Amino acid sequence: MSAASFAPRPVTRWIIGALLLAVFAIPILSMIEYSLRDGDAHSLVHWAALFDPALAGTYRPVWTGLANSLVLALVTVAIVLVLLAPTVILVELRFPRLRRAFEFVVLLPISIPAIVVVVGLAPIYQGIGRAVGTGIWTLAFAYGITVLPFAYRAIRAAVDAVDLPTLSEAARTLGAGWTTTLLRVIAPNLRQGLLAASLIAVAVVLGEFTIASILGRQNLQTALVVVGKQDPWAPVILSLLSLVFAFALLAVIGLAGRTRSKRTLP
């Protein structure tokens, strides 16, 4: 029996697609409807309240938490791009026998609950606080561990799609140093994987609550909990804005990948 006989019929594909679309669309539409409720009618009063100067004190924790989360996202993305990605490339090119062991270590955090990670990191953060202070950016070390499995899979998929040994050997034969080979030959070929890993890191950081709450730091999610006790609409509205931000990043990644593909076509 051929593989084509197992393929679902067009009607089945449309039904599956419609069900998946409903799973994503119904919660989002419900959030939009809830954020527009104004008594028995609907209006933008709750959206406008977020930007009302008279209520700035009420929503100040949200903007502070958002700024902290953006700082954490930038530092976490830097950890992914500066530490994780070069390490993956190094293992692929110089230490291929360590690939399985490295993959096991990188994927290990996905099997450990966040609460356990926090308990293990608490003594370490006491030392970090004494050494470099208790700035919000230090929380990125914990987030860097949290995003490792997800970012690694995105980078790994890009590495598997490219013949890195041949590229690096060609660049080295033409006289390029390792830095030039990494930045001007390998990194452009891994662009989509690096962008996807960055997006995953940003998404994880913007949605993380447990680690920040237990370690007593303020990020977007902990701030939403605080503000939600006074204004139940604010967390819903900011969650919708976060979704818009994530969709915009996805569009940017898709556009960047499409532009790169057009440039590589003969």
Side-chain angles (χ1 to χ4, degrees), residues 134-145:
T134 57
I136 187 66
W137 65 272
T138 58
L139 201 60
F141 298 136
Y143 288 171
I145 296 174

Side-chain angles (χ1 to χ4, degrees), residues 69-70 72-81 84 143-144 146-148 150-152 154 193-208 245 249 253:
S69 290
L70 292 178
L72 289 169
L74 288 176
V75 179
T76 306
V77 169
I79 291 174
V80 169
L81 298 181
L84 177 61
Y143 288 171
T146 304
V147 304
L148 270 182
F150 312 104
Y152 172 76
L194 297 176
L195 287 172
S198 301
L199 171 63
I200 292 171
V202 172
V204 171
V205 171
L206 291 181
E208 203 286 325
F245 179 66
L249 279 180
I253 289 176

Side-chain angles (χ1 to χ4, degrees), residues 2-72:
S2 65
S5 61
F6 291 100
R9 296 180 178 180
V11 176
T12 305
R13 291 199 293 267
W14 276 103
I15 293 175
I16 294 174
L19 289 175
L20 290 176
L21 181 62
V23 168
F24 286 101
I26 290 176
I28 294 175
L29 293 176
S30 300
M31 293 169 67
I32 295 174
E33 192 277 335
Y34 177 75
S35 68
L36 296 176
R37 288 182 186 177
D38 184 11
D40 295 332
H42 292 81
S43 70
L44 295 173
V45 61
H46 301 299
W47 289 73
L50 286 176
F51 307 98
D52 188 351
L55 300 175
T58 303
Y59 301 113
R60 184 172 294 113
V62 172
W63 305 121
T64 303
L66 178 61
N68 290 342
S69 290
L70 292 178
V71 171
L72 289 169

